Amino acid sequence: MKAVILNGPGSVTVGEFPTPTPKTGEVRVRVAFCGICGSDFHKVAGKKNTHPIRYPVPLGHEISGVVESVGEGVTAFRPGDRVTVDPNWSCGKCYYCKNGQTSFCENGRGVVKGMAEYVVSPEENVYLLPEGLSLRDAALCEPLACCLRGMDLLDIRHGERVALIGLGAIGAIMLQLIRRAGAGEVLVIDANEARREAAMALGATLFLPSQDGAAIAEYAKTHPVHRVIECVGVGAAQETALEVAGKGATVVMFGVSDSAAKLPISLYDAFCKELTIKTSFVNPHTTDRALQLLATGLLQTDMIIAGELSMEEAAAEMLAPSLSRKGKALVRID
């Protein structure tokens, strides 16, 4: 099969890769779309990943597609079904799985290598698409599922003042979820002034450039912020998140940082504010909720998806990001 292959750090090519065959209890999906995630760029750069990488390997894990065949014992799916796949498999037997924390599974592994014509997944990781949900929009299921986990941790109460740091593809999802969660004022902080219009269109009440530290400090001083979610994953954005947080606030560090990154934090300031600082890891038990939300049509997916790329264009994108800087880039698997 044809795939976008990571051969090693800094080496991405389009070529032939062995077509996976479904074993007992597995489903083979012909991929329609695969989203490009920030973690894909981390892999290309040779940075630490949540699961060990064995080269060569197809990139990508945010997919939608159509069931092509099933292995022995599969009863829930048949060829022709439109589906998405949760890329995070858990064993169900270890300490964390037995205690409802499947995202921390001691034997967990990724089961989707999505920038390829086919993927094979355990049946339990495959989800049928609701009727009317397009394959294009369904490729947003995995990042939306991760965002729902972050929102659960943020736990917004109606009318609370919320600050969102970073308005990339994930930020564009989060802003819509924040609005639908009943937030009052919503401050968006981003380094790109060009994102102001999108922020206001998606429900922000105020946009401030991250470079304007004085304006951010003044806002935080006069407008107590109850909830803060950081969607960039770099130190400067994380520091801003802690600075803008009001007394008694909850801060969720959602952005994925470099594994070597350290956050300089004033423990005294955090102490005086009595902050609750949380991190969010993958998407435990939120995939079905993400599908149902996408099916409602309430999310403005065109404000999240920046465009589509061929597999050849995707290989070039992985080495020199362009479209991904504007939003979610989808790889169209022909």
Side-chain angles (χ1 to χ4, degrees):
M1 68 175 180
K2 187 178 178 182
V4 180
I5 304 167
L6 178 61
N7 302 292
S11 176
V12 180
T13 58
V14 177
E16 288 298 313
F17 200 81
T19 302
T21 301
K23 301 175 184 176
T24 300
E26 294 183 336
V27 177
R28 181 160 73 185
V29 177
R30 184 175 183 89
V31 181
F33 292 96
C34 180
I36 295 178
C37 176
S39 65
D40 292 316
F41 291 107
H42 285 194
K43 293 173 187 176
V44 172
K47 297 178 180 179
K48 188 176 181 179
N49 189 53
T50 53
H51 299 296
I53 300 175
R54 298 178 180 177
Y55 306 112
V57 61
L59 286 163
H61 56 272
E62 304 174 357
I63 73 154
S64 64
V66 178
V67 174
E68 194 267 344
S69 62
V70 299
E72 186 177 345
V74 173
T75 58
F77 301 96
R78 60 185 179 181
D81 283 343
R82 301 163 60 254
V83 297
T84 187
V85 181
D86 179 354
N88 301 300
W89 178 86
S90 54
C91 72
K93 301 176 182 178
C94 71
Y95 171 86
Y96 292 106
C97 285
K98 287 185 175 181
N99 284 277
Q101 296 174 297
T102 55
S103 54
F104 304 138
C105 176
E106 295 172 324
N107 306 301
R109 58 188 173 89
V111 294
V112 174
K113 317 300 179 189
M115 292 187 205
E117 292 181 300
Y118 296 97
V119 299
V120 164
S121 164
E123 180 181 18
E124 59 265 31
N125 282 63
V126 182
Y127 289 76
L128 195 66
L129 300 189
E131 203 164 321
L133 178 60
S134 70
L135 287 167
R136 182 175 184 265
D137 284 357
L140 293 175
C141 181
E142 194 275 345
L144 175 56
C146 290
C147 288
L148 289 176
R149 171 62 173 172
M151 287 294 295
D152 289 347
L153 293 167
L154 194 61
D155 192 24
I156 297 170
R157 293 183 294 181
H158 283 78
E160 288 188 318
R161 186 175 288 111
V162 180
L164 167 69
I165 319 295
L167 196 69
I170 291 297
I173 295 175
M174 286 293 193
L175 179 51
Q176 296 183 66
L177 296 179
I178 288 167
R179 263 290 163 231
R180 297 202 167 278
E185 290 185 12
V186 182
L187 166 66
V188 172
I189 299 173
D190 192 276
N192 188 348
E193 177 69 34
R195 289 175 172 167
R196 178 187 296 272
E197 184 177 345
M200 305 310 289
L202 290 174
T205 51
L206 179 65
F207 177 94
L208 291 175
S210 57
Q211 301 91 330
D212 194 346
I216 295 170
E218 179 61 25
Y219 180 87
K221 182 179 179 180
T222 55
H223 298 75
V225 174
H226 307 101
R227 311 281 165 173
V228 184
I229 188 158
E230 184 277 326
C231 298
V232 184
V234 299
Q238 293 163 343
E239 289 184 54
T240 297
L242 296 174
E243 289 166 2
V244 78
K247 294 178 179 178
T250 294
V251 181
V252 175
M253 300 296 188
F254 188 87
V256 181
S257 300
D258 187 294
S259 61
K262 305 293 181 183
L263 176 61
I265 174 174
S266 170
L267 293 176
Y268 183 77
D269 287 347
F271 160 75
C272 289
K273 289 184 179 182
E274 201 176 70
L275 297 181
T276 298
I277 301 173
K278 302 179 181 180
T279 59
S280 181
F281 182 62
V282 299
N283 59 337
H285 312 298
T286 52
T287 298
D288 188 65
R289 288 165 56 195
L291 280 176
Q292 299 311 314
L293 182 55
L294 283 169
T296 66
L298 293 174
L299 289 185
Q300 298 183 54
T301 56
D302 285 343
M303 297 286 284
I304 302 166
I305 299 171
E308 300 174 15
L309 300 170
S310 68
M311 295 174 84
E312 288 75 16
E313 290 169 334
E317 178 80 4
M318 297 314 306
L319 298 173
S322 176
L323 186 63
S324 299
R325 298 189 184 283
K326 301 175 183 178
K328 176 62 67 177
L330 298 184
V331 184
R332 186 180 61 254
I333 310 297
D334 293 324

